[in-house]
Amino acid sequence: MGMKRKPKSMVLLLLGLMLAFSASGCSSNNNAGGNANENKGNSNTPAATAEASTAPTAAAVSADEPGWKSDTSPITFDWYLNFSWFPNKWGVDPTSQYVTKKTGVNINFIVPAGNENEKLNTMIASGQLPDFITLGFWEDAIKKMIEGDMVLPLNKLADEYDPYFYKVSDKDKLGWYTQEDGNVYGYPNSSSSPADYEKYGKNYVSNQTFVVRKDIYEAIGSPDMRTPEGFLNALKMAQEKFPEVNGQPLIPLGLHEFTENGNDSLEGYLQNFLAIPWQKDGKVYERETDPEFVRWMKTLRQANEDGLLAKDIFIDKRAQMEEKIAQGRYFAMLYQRTDFASQLGTIFQKNPEQTYIAVDGPSNAALDQPTLNGPGISGWTVTLISKNVKDKARAIKFLSYLNSEEGNKDLYLGEKGVSYDTIDGKDQFLPEAFALMNSDRAAFDKKYGSSFTFWMMQNTNITDQWAPKSVEPFKQLEDWTRGKAINTSEFQLIDPTGNSPEGIIATKLKNLRGKTFPKLLMASSDAEFDKIWTDYLAKKDKEGFATFDAYRQNKYQENKKKLGME
């Protein structure tokens, strides 16, 4: 996935419905449990002295035994999540309370209130990083933190304090994230290696969907929206027949938010729906130059000229979109299904006829089936441990716990008898917990806190054994993607990042795309679109696209070797 690998990659990965449910919400507050560790600087407190005297000796470090068991005294870690929409606090619900009771570890989440990159760059500039940092695997900041010597190699921490880490980590994933210095600084969640594909691949689904509001779609005759003509016509009919939803204007088409770097719906999603290849004759393909993509961008330009693209879609962020989805204001959306699972559950409870269903969306001229992102080896997020972590040993041991089957089970199923039990010989969610999960995810997170309310190290390949069968309205969207998801791991992480000359070019190219795409859609005619497009390609060349492309090609070859595809 060339340069445009941002959330769509994340996207693609949030495999399970369940988890993404928990990924909804948008408010944040940074001081949960913030005062729990105020006396950490005073090593003469009785607790600290006791802790020092009972600390296990190095000899007790074992590769077969969970290291966290050797010390369960209370400790609070600050954990930064680079997602402003993350709404939950640790310690409010029984699951996180259970983990703290068991391991001694309490977490104070730090979540940006506004722009994630501003917050993260400020922290990096100050040199003061919290104990743990979790961010999208595609983020530039990862390289900056590693190059700035601000994060610790997980392999060195494991060697010294907790070799059990290797037992519960996947060697392919460690290999994938090994840097040029031979160290691994971050470990992914929601990651699937080629070996995982062999083992679990038949269950894999994608997060990428094209959905329509069922009642409106049926009222206009369930039209075929695969061709530009059919697509425009359906938007037009929906708007004519249903100009308003509860007194508010209908929004004919919803897309992921426009950011300074572009738009996921217009990049990964649309390109995958059009089955545009990732490579041609062994060369990484610049997918946005494909004639099919240009044809559909012109279709969207036409939609805008016809008054079918609401102004909202150019300015709304995820929080505003979630509000409008909950109100049923969109007719159609090219959107990540797991990003609106919480709203979908709420709509379905109120009126199942108004739910959103996945249908065949934009297609190429041959009407080929889409090639959607399946889970990849990079995962969704990576978690790093900061150099100023307050306790190296406890930090790596807690990371190992979260990575292990035991940790995944605790954060997925929760505490036995509270959110799950052994029913009919199988560990599974209690019916009342499952019912709440599907009807009101935000309430579920507070009342139970399981099903990956806390997804930082989730491994859906492990938890699939306890996953309940999907229910409606989520099942239909998930099922629609079955058999359409492909593994594109070898195209992940091929873009240059950080402050290298190529990384700087990549940033400029992303910003150029971010500026250009809205202009293309707002162009007053196809002729004006062509002019902007030609201009865009020329600017890309001027910014150093050839250098960027050569770097990408080289990384792609390396990835194929790493993944044993050569």
Side-chain angles (χ1 to χ4, degrees):
M1 293 177 203
M3 323 174 19
K4 19 203 112 87
R5 326 245 322 92
K6 325 165 287 273
K8 116 200 45 145
S9 330
M10 131 191 166
V11 181
L12 60 184
L13 295 170
L14 264 169
L15 251 170
L17 229 187
M18 317 293 14
L19 30 138
F21 275 169
S22 62
S24 63
C26 54
S27 66
S28 76
N29 182 330
N30 300 350
N31 57 9
N35 49 10
N37 52 4
E38 254 158 29
N39 63 6
K40 66 175 188 289
N42 179 354
S43 55
N44 304 327
T45 58
T49 321
E51 206 178 311
S53 60
T54 57
T57 57
V61 166
S62 155
D64 299 311
E65 267 306 294
W68 66 267
K69 292 183 171 173
S70 61
D71 183 358
T72 56
S73 60
I75 185 169
T76 296
F77 284 119
D78 293 322
W79 195 313
Y80 175 74
L81 296 174
N82 197 41
F83 298 92
S84 61
W85 48 258
F86 183 78
N88 298 301
K89 300 201 183 23
W90 188 268
V92 171
D93 61 278
T95 299
S96 55
Q97 289 165 2
Y98 168 63
V99 170
T100 296
K101 191 169 69 192
K102 179 170 173 171
T103 62
V105 176
N106 178 36
I107 296 173
N108 168 38
F109 284 120
I110 298 167
V111 177
N115 183 317
E116 287 93 352
N117 289 343
E118 279 172 27
K119 171 82 173 171
L120 192 52
N121 287 332
T122 305
M123 289 195 322
I124 291 173
S126 75
Q128 292 302 305
L129 294 177
D131 303 299
F132 288 90
I133 303 102
T134 295
L135 69 174
F137 79 82
W138 58 90
E139 296 286 3
D140 262 15
I142 297 170
K143 194 151 189 224
K144 288 181 188 154
M145 291 186 283
I146 294 171
E147 286 172 355
D149 200 21
M150 303 172 78
V151 286
L152 298 169
L154 301 180
N155 48 303
K156 292 193 173 166
L157 290 173
D159 293 343
E160 192 169 349
Y161 304 107
D162 189 27
Y164 184 68
F165 174 77
Y166 295 115
K167 197 176 176 117
V168 295
S169 301
D170 181 321
K171 64 179 192 317
D172 290 341
K173 291 162 198 173
L174 290 172
W176 180 251
Y177 276 110
T178 296
Q179 302 296 316
E180 280 158 22
D181 64 4
N183 292 320
V184 181
Y185 295 88
Y187 196 85
N189 74 354
S190 300
S191 160
S192 291
S193 65
D196 290 331
Y197 260 83
E198 310 263 294
K199 200 166 165 191
Y200 311 103
K202 65 178 191 310
N203 301 323
Y204 286 164
V205 289
S206 175
N207 263 358
Q208 300 181 320
T209 46
F210 177 68
V211 300
V212 290
R213 200 175 121 168
K214 183 174 184 287
D215 55 343
I216 299 181
Y217 184 65
E218 288 170 359
I220 61 172
S222 306
D224 183 343
M225 297 181 72
R226 293 176 300 169
T227 64
E229 304 69 42
F231 183 85
L232 289 171
N233 199 30
L235 297 185
K236 202 167 278 164
M237 288 194 294
Q239 193 179 50
E240 280 166 11
K241 208 160 182 171
F242 301 90
E244 293 197 334
V245 176
N246 301 327
Q248 307 252 50
L250 176 85
I251 304 170
L253 179 66
L255 303 170
H256 277 270
E257 64 185 72
F258 282 85
T259 71
E260 59 199 12
N261 293 331
N263 183 303
D264 289 332
S265 299
L266 299 180
E267 296 164 44
Y269 281 61
L270 184 52
Q271 290 161 11
N272 291 349
F273 267 79
L274 303 178
I276 296 173
W278 289 95
Q279 56 89 27
K280 285 192 169 181
D281 307 321
K283 291 269 183 286
V284 177
Y285 184 44
E286 180 65 344
R287 300 172 84 208
E288 66 180 28
T289 59
D290 196 276
E292 292 285 352
F293 178 69
V294 176
R295 180 169 79 116
W296 273 92
M297 286 292 282
K298 285 186 164 176
T299 303
L300 293 171
R301 186 215 68 77
Q302 187 64 52
N304 189 56
E305 188 185 328
D306 298 345
L308 300 169
L309 296 188
K311 293 286 169 276
D312 316 45
I313 71 174
F314 292 102
I315 48 181
D316 284 349
K317 297 277 172 232
R318 174 161 163 180
Q320 284 85 30
M321 281 205 67
E322 286 177 352
E323 203 175 304
K324 290 171 186 176
I325 292 168
Q327 296 163 348
R329 285 187 60 193
Y330 298 95
F331 161 55
M333 295 187 286
L334 190 54
Y335 207 67
Q336 167 163 282
R337 63 183 172 81
T338 47
D339 270 13
F340 69 97
S342 174
Q343 291 74 34
L344 190 63
T346 310
I347 292 170
F348 191 73
Q349 295 302 311
K350 283 199 201 119
N351 184 346
E353 280 309 297
Q354 292 180 355
T355 191
Y356 286 92
I357 54 169
V359 296
D360 292 336
S363 302
N364 62 27
L367 299 181
D368 292 320
Q369 170 161 293
T371 49
L372 306 176
N373 288 343
I377 192 161
S378 296
W380 166 34
T381 66
V382 288
T383 293
L384 307 95
I385 295 177
S386 142
K387 208 166 184 176
N388 22 15
V389 62
K390 47 180 85 72
D391 186 326
K392 291 179 187 175
R394 292 293 293 280
I396 188 70
K397 288 169 181 178
F398 189 59
L399 198 65
S400 298
Y401 158 74
L402 292 175
N403 240 358
S404 68
E405 178 153 333
E406 179 182 11
N408 266 275
K409 186 175 185 178
D410 288 347
L411 285 171
Y412 184 69
L413 286 177
E415 186 173 10
K416 191 164 188 169
V418 180
S419 53
Y420 89 98
D421 221 324
T422 308
I423 306 168
D424 302 330
K426 179 176 152 59
D427 286 349
Q428 53 183 299
F429 289 111
L430 291 166
E432 60 271 27
F434 188 52
L436 185 61
M437 187 194 303
N438 289 314
S439 61
D440 188 341
R441 181 66 210 212
F444 172 90
D445 287 347
K446 290 183 178 56
K447 183 167 182 186
Y448 295 106
S450 52
S451 183
F452 288 133
T453 295
F454 305 101
W455 38 254
M456 302 89 73
M457 301 310 294
Q458 71 191 9
N459 182 336
T460 38
N461 292 320
I462 291 178
T463 56
D464 204 41
Q465 57 186 306
W466 306 296
K469 292 275 172 278
S470 281
V471 296
E472 295 305 354
F474 318 104
K475 183 179 184 305
Q476 190 272 338
L477 275 67
E478 204 175 284
D479 286 348
W480 182 86
T481 72
R482 281 184 203 283
K484 299 182 176 87
I486 62 167
N487 177 14
T488 55
S489 289
E490 67 271 30
F491 300 99
Q492 295 191 336
L493 292 175
I494 61 175
D495 289 1
T497 58
N499 296 324
S500 65
E502 297 88 353
I504 290 165
I505 294 172
T507 303
K508 285 181 176 164
L509 291 171
K510 283 191 288 197
N511 289 341
L512 180 61
R513 179 184 302 115
K515 284 195 187 71
T516 307
F517 276 24
K519 286 183 191 153
L520 289 165
L521 300 194
M522 292 175 183
S524 59
S525 63
D526 274 356
E528 194 193 338
F529 179 104
D530 290 336
K531 188 184 171 312
I532 297 168
W533 186 253
T534 312
D535 210 30
Y536 169 60
L537 297 180
K539 282 183 182 150
K540 275 171 67 174
D541 287 339
K542 207 163 129 254
E543 292 291 14
F545 178 75
T547 308
F548 168 86
D549 197 41
Y551 178 97
R552 219 166 41 156
Q553 183 61 27
N554 193 29
K555 287 302 268 190
Y556 164 60
Q557 307 290 155
E558 279 174 29
N559 283 354
K560 285 204 296 187
K561 281 199 191 72
K562 261 188 184 176
L563 295 167
M565 293 169 67
E566 283 291 86

